[in-house]
Amino acid sequence: MELFSYMENYDYEQVVVCQDKVSGLKAIIAIHDTTLGPALGGTRMWMYDTEADAFEDALRLAKGMTYKNAAAGLNLGGGKTVIIGDPRKDKNEEMFRAFGRYIQGLNGRYITAEDVGTTVQDMDTIYEETDYVTGISPAFGSSGNPSPVTAYGVYVGMKASAKEAFGTDDLAGKTIAVQGVGNVAYNLCKHLHEEGASLIVTDINKESVQRAVADFNAKAVDVNDIYGVECDIFSPCALGAIINDQTIPQLKAKVIAGAANNQLKEERHGSLIHEMGIVYAPDYVINAGGVINVADELNGYNSERALKKVEGIYQNIEKVINISKRDQIPTFKAADRMAEERIERMRRSRRQFLQNGQHILSRR
């Protein structure tokens, strides 16, 4: 990878390479954009095949956080960290303490959180060295498990999507196919069941499926059959890239709204479902409840305030749909446009402020 060319092409601000010989830390902190505020994004620990793969993942994820935070209405930019290593055997206290010192050295430009391969306990260790970390234990005044809040955001976003497709956001009587019944999806199913929706569920974990069947009177289907079931709403809450050439012809739903990341395998698949008249809730808009929740910790966490902000996902989905109609583009492109327009408005505001300040100084 030509790092500087890549950074210039996609307008990245900073990449920090961190290593600590004693602990074995090898980390890459990527800061994409801080126009709206400090960069917030989690720390992922993964065994990458090459260092170039790790750089590429850090950069890609950081840009994604810029769009996610902007679309969520947060005054935060986008960043991400990847730590190279096996999270099952390479972790140690020294590693995360060293990493915390690197974060502290950025003096608030980057704030981290939990991600794939890291835990609340890892964030607690980072907290020993820096205040620029969220998602720590509730004992330290944090928000705790983000799954229920993420699920609630998906739920309200699904209601906004249903309103566009069916003329009402009432989900009572609607049949909803939920792919994956992990922590987030289980809590989503609880909201849907309480509203009176009928649920069809699947998961590779049979115990998770049995739990949903018992608790929510859900119907279980094979993992390969979930795409083609008769339903009103398809809710992907597990794998990425599941909207693809193989699954699209099977879909019978009028709405796609779920918690999974990177649901479109390729952009053309987003265009295809748009042409089919399916209302698609862009994943990084509808699943932003978790980041909205941890961002509230920066103001001293208040659960009621955080949930109120998460309810704004309903309006954010409405905005995406309105931009889609206004510009005659698929909703996944409309989500990007919504985020980009917000960032650009802030850039113009700051430029105007600086110009006004220079004008005042020149008159003195």
Side-chain angles (χ1 to χ4, degrees), residues 97-291:
R97 292 285 293 266
F99 177 53
R101 293 191 290 273
Y102 278 109
I103 294 174
Q104 183 66 21
L106 290 170
N107 201 31
R109 274 179 55 77
Y110 170 66
I111 303 161
T112 198
E114 182 183 346
D115 203 297
V116 176
T118 59
T119 65
V120 172
Q121 289 70 33
D122 298 329
M123 298 305 110
D124 287 349
T125 305
I126 293 170
Y127 184 60
E128 295 288 333
E129 300 288 345
T130 183
D131 290 333
Y132 302 119
V133 54
T134 60
I136 52 180
S137 295
F140 297 119
S142 176
S143 56
N145 181 8
S147 296
V149 185
T150 302
Y152 183 63
V154 175
Y155 168 66
V156 299
M158 183 183 290
K159 287 176 73 67
S161 305
K163 184 179 179 181
E164 174 63 19
F166 308 116
T168 175
D169 65 5
D170 187 359
L171 300 178
K174 294 288 187 290
T175 299
I176 302 169
V178 182
Q179 182 193 40
V181 213
N183 290 333
V184 172
Y186 178 85
N187 284 280
L188 171 62
C189 287
K190 182 178 180 180
H191 289 296
L192 298 174
H193 177 67
E194 288 174 350
E195 189 165 339
S198 298
L199 299 173
I200 302 172
V201 300
T202 196
D203 197 297
I204 57 173
N205 186 326
K206 300 305 179 187
E207 291 182 1
S208 296
V209 172
Q210 291 167 3
R211 183 186 182 197
V213 169
D215 292 352
F216 310 125
N217 196 29
K219 176 185 175 182
V221 297
D222 185 79
V223 291
N224 296 314
D225 295 337
I226 193 71
Y227 306 104
V229 298
E230 293 285 350
C231 64
D232 300 295
I233 299 171
F234 174 54
S235 185
C237 295
L239 304 173
I242 51 81
I243 307 299
N244 55 52
D245 289 335
Q246 286 70 46
T247 61
I248 289 174
Q250 302 179 54
L251 295 174
K252 297 179 175 65
K254 296 295 184 183
V255 173
I256 298 175
N261 289 312
N262 305 314
Q263 294 171 23
L264 304 175
K265 185 171 183 180
E266 299 175 28
E267 287 194 354
R268 65 182 179 86
H269 295 124
S271 299
L272 183 55
I273 58 175
H274 177 72
E275 292 167 4
M276 294 168 63
I278 296 174
V279 177
Y280 169 60
D283 43 38
Y284 72 78
V285 180
I286 196 172
N287 70 13
V291 71

Side-chain angles (χ1 to χ4, degrees), residues 35-36 342-351:
T35 301
L36 296 175
R342 181 166 181 249
I343 293 168
E344 185 53 35
R345 286 195 302 271
M346 182 58 71
R347 281 184 180 143
R348 288 200 304 267
S349 175
R350 287 187 174 182
R351 282 197 298 266

